[in-house]
Amino acid sequence: DVNIKGMADESMEYPLAYGYSLVGIVVACGSNVADAESLIGRLVFTFSPHSSRVRVDRDAIQLVPEGINAEDAVFMPSVETALSLVHDAHIRLGENVAVYGQGLIGLLVTSILSMQSSKSISSSSCFGSVTAFDTFDDRLGISSSLGATTALKPDAVILAGPFDVSIEVSGNPRALQSAIDNTSNNGRIIVGSWYGNTDVALKLGIDFHRSHKVLQTSQVSTIPSTLSGLWSKERRFSLTWGLLKSVIPSRLITKRLTLDNAQQAYELLDGGKELAILFKYD
């Protein structure tokens, strides 16, 4: 992400120092750092690769607010991503929302949406609902604990829909097609998945052509023009830190490993065997 300080010269080529979410303690500062004395010993966040030690510019760190521990702070980029998806969806009071995919980002989206939903109206199952979809039973259980109105397997979508807004963060083209098919006419489909170089085939026939549905991508790196008059990255960061206190994302950690086990960690995540893995540097 060229918008992250220090990553402008990086490319997706080997060898690559991977990662963009690091939390640690400041142990030393350069002579030109004006607030060096107050920084020493502080817990800070930086968009830096996985490493036991890093050297960064002063303006590349964010002080972790009081009341947030390191294991929650490391989720800052993930919570900001979930927040940006919710912002891009422009969900209005009373709208029924579907979240396709309950991996880490999907669960965080569900959690934030559940904060916004009104229990007094969503209990009617007609207004203000948040419906989560995933193929893993354990993730659906977490969805419910985070406040989803309903958590279902994908084959139940016809009975649950249609939805005013669908947020697709599954990385599965079949889920994206389901989101398109089961969103109401004039509704909105927000695509948060990154499909890389994979070709995705979608059925966009006469029904879609006549539906006036909006198919919109969402990406966290910048503030979209529709929001930039009111929101900046700094304002969104501030809200993200506040959400971290409420969401407590560290409860989603399913395994803690050292960086020596990075290959194992990525294979476990790719196979859906773990939800969130934390690298520790003891």
Side-chain angles (χ1 to χ4, degrees), residues 154-276:
D155 56 7
V157 65
I158 296 178
L159 299 176
F163 303 98
D164 303 302
V165 183
S166 293
I167 299 175
E168 190 275 306
V169 284
S170 69
N172 188 325
R174 290 178 295 175
L176 177 55
Q177 185 67 62
S178 181
I180 294 170
D181 294 342
N182 292 284
T183 298
S184 297
N185 288 357
N186 302 292
R188 307 181 296 286
I189 302 101
I190 309 301
V191 184
S193 291
W194 183 65
Y195 289 99
N197 295 323
T198 303
D199 291 333
V200 176
L202 297 173
K203 297 178 181 178
L204 303 176
I206 189 65
D207 290 338
F208 177 80
H209 182 68
R210 292 176 172 174
S211 70
H212 294 279
K213 298 175 186 179
V214 175
L215 189 62
Q216 177 182 332
T217 62
S218 178
Q219 212 280 331
V220 69
S221 296
T222 58
I223 303 293
S225 59
T226 53
L227 294 174
S228 60
L230 294 173
W231 287 85
S232 62
K233 286 287 285 187
E234 290 71 26
R235 184 182 181 188
R236 195 165 68 187
F237 283 148
S238 181
L239 178 55
T240 298
W241 287 117
L243 287 171
L244 280 161
K245 292 184 179 181
S246 300
V247 175
I248 316 176
S250 58
R251 56 182 162 163
L252 301 177
I253 297 172
T254 53
K255 189 178 286 293
R256 294 167 176 81
L257 296 172
T258 64
L259 194 57
D260 293 339
N261 301 115
Q263 181 69 28
Q264 176 192 1
Y266 290 122
E267 289 175 356
L268 289 170
L269 291 169
D270 186 53
K273 296 178 180 179
E274 300 291 344
L275 178 60

Side-chain angles (χ1 to χ4, degrees), residues 61-191:
I61 65 171
Q62 297 187 40
L63 300 179
V64 175
E66 294 293 331
I68 300 177
N69 63 35
E71 290 199 352
D72 285 316
V74 78
F75 285 92
M76 197 279 278
S78 298
V79 173
E80 191 205 1
T81 297
L83 174 60
S84 72
L85 283 158
V86 173
H87 275 184
D88 284 341
H90 293 287
I91 296 158
R92 302 169 180 87
L93 181 65
E95 288 188 324
N96 298 314
V97 186
V99 184
Y100 289 81
Q102 292 295 279
L104 177 60
I105 300 302
L107 287 169
L108 293 173
V109 169
T110 295
S111 181
I112 294 173
L113 288 174
S114 298
M115 293 178 188
Q116 295 188 162
S117 66
S118 171
K119 302 303 180 184
S120 62
I121 60 175
S122 63
S123 60
S124 67
S125 299
C126 296
F127 302 102
S129 64
V130 179
T131 303
F133 293 100
D134 204 280
T135 58
F136 292 96
D137 290 327
D138 57 339
R139 296 185 182 185
L140 294 177
I142 298 172
S143 304
S144 296
S145 71
L146 292 176
T149 310
T150 312
L152 302 170
K153 292 287 186 67
D155 56 7
V157 65
I158 296 178
L159 299 176
F163 303 98
D164 303 302
V165 183
S166 293
I167 299 175
E168 190 275 306
V169 284
S170 69
N172 188 325
R174 290 178 295 175
L176 177 55
Q177 185 67 62
S178 181
I180 294 170
D181 294 342
N182 292 284
T183 298
S184 297
N185 288 357
N186 302 292
R188 307 181 296 286
I189 302 101
I190 309 301
V191 184

